[in-house]
Amino acid sequence: MLDPDGDTHLYLQISEIIRSRIVHGLSPGDPVASEAELQREFGVARTTARRALRVLREEGLIYTAPGSGAFVDEPGQAPRGARRVPLYRQIAGDIEQRIRAGQLQPRRPIPGESTLVQEYEVARETVRRAMALLREQGWIYTVPARGSFVSPKESWPQA
């Protein structure tokens, strides 16, 4: 199920699998696999399992109760504790706004990874996650050895 040789980190692949399980059958309050269970199921390090759960927690799909485990969160409920929008989503949202405002034109390059790392003062992986989200949503596309470009307007997501 996991693609260890692919271009997506294992923890992101695991979080996507768990997200699919939540969407296709788990109800609010149902337990989610623990770090140890994910470690056994996917044959990964505990830190990889921990990162996968953190992604889902930051997205508001799950919450953790110390000593009890992780559970599916209620959609639309108030956050349980200090939950913030993940930085990569903030960066993706900012770039999306720049595209909508015409600051970044269709079929023209977007700033490179290094430029964005410096501009936002974040890790390269954070920028890569933002770019992956924008690609997934249809805002940008990547040409190997050339970079990432703003998608043609007809490819943009519908509001």
Side-chain angles (χ1 to χ4, degrees), residues 103-122:
Q103 296 168 349
L104 298 171
Q105 295 291 314
R107 299 191 181 277
R108 308 286 0 134
I110 63 167
E113 213 174 75
S114 297
T115 303
L116 293 171
V117 164
Q118 289 178 342
E119 181 180 338
Y120 291 99
E121 298 178 348
V122 295

Side-chain angles (χ1 to χ4, degrees), residues 6 8 21 34 51 55 67 92 113 120 156:
T8 304
R21 291 175 184 173
S34 68
R51 289 176 81 185
V55 167
E113 213 174 75
Y120 291 99
W156 293 1

Side-chain angles (χ1 to χ4, degrees), residues 15-89:
S15 66
E16 188 58 43
I17 291 168
I18 298 167
R19 184 180 297 105
S20 176
R21 291 175 184 173
I22 291 169
V23 170
H24 296 100
L26 293 178
S27 300
D30 284 349
V32 177
S34 68
E35 289 174 11
E37 290 167 332
L38 293 176
Q39 186 180 7
R40 282 190 299 277
E41 179 179 353
F42 296 105
V44 296
R46 191 166 202 129
T47 55
T48 302
R50 183 174 296 137
R51 289 176 81 185
L53 291 174
R54 185 177 62 223
V55 167
L56 297 169
R57 194 170 46 251
E58 288 177 352
E59 292 176 0
L61 292 174
I62 67 170
Y63 68 94
T64 52
S68 298
F71 303 89
V72 177
D73 210 348
E74 289 275 348
Q77 286 290 88
R80 300 175 192 267
R83 196 181 284 155
R84 59 179 174 76
V85 175
L87 204 47
Y88 78 95
R89 288 190 177 272

Side-chain angles (χ1 to χ4, degrees), residues 129-142:
R129 288 183 69 193
M131 295 300 104
L133 179 60
L134 289 166
R135 255 191 309 281
E136 179 182 301
Q137 293 173 338
W139 289 108
I140 67 171
Y141 64 97
T142 300

Side-chain angles (χ1 to χ4, degrees), residues 79-99:
R80 300 175 192 267
R83 196 181 284 155
R84 59 179 174 76
V85 175
L87 204 47
Y88 78 95
R89 288 190 177 272
Q90 292 175 18
I91 294 168
D94 185 41
I95 294 171
E96 176 188 330
Q97 290 304 321
R98 289 161 67 181
I99 292 170

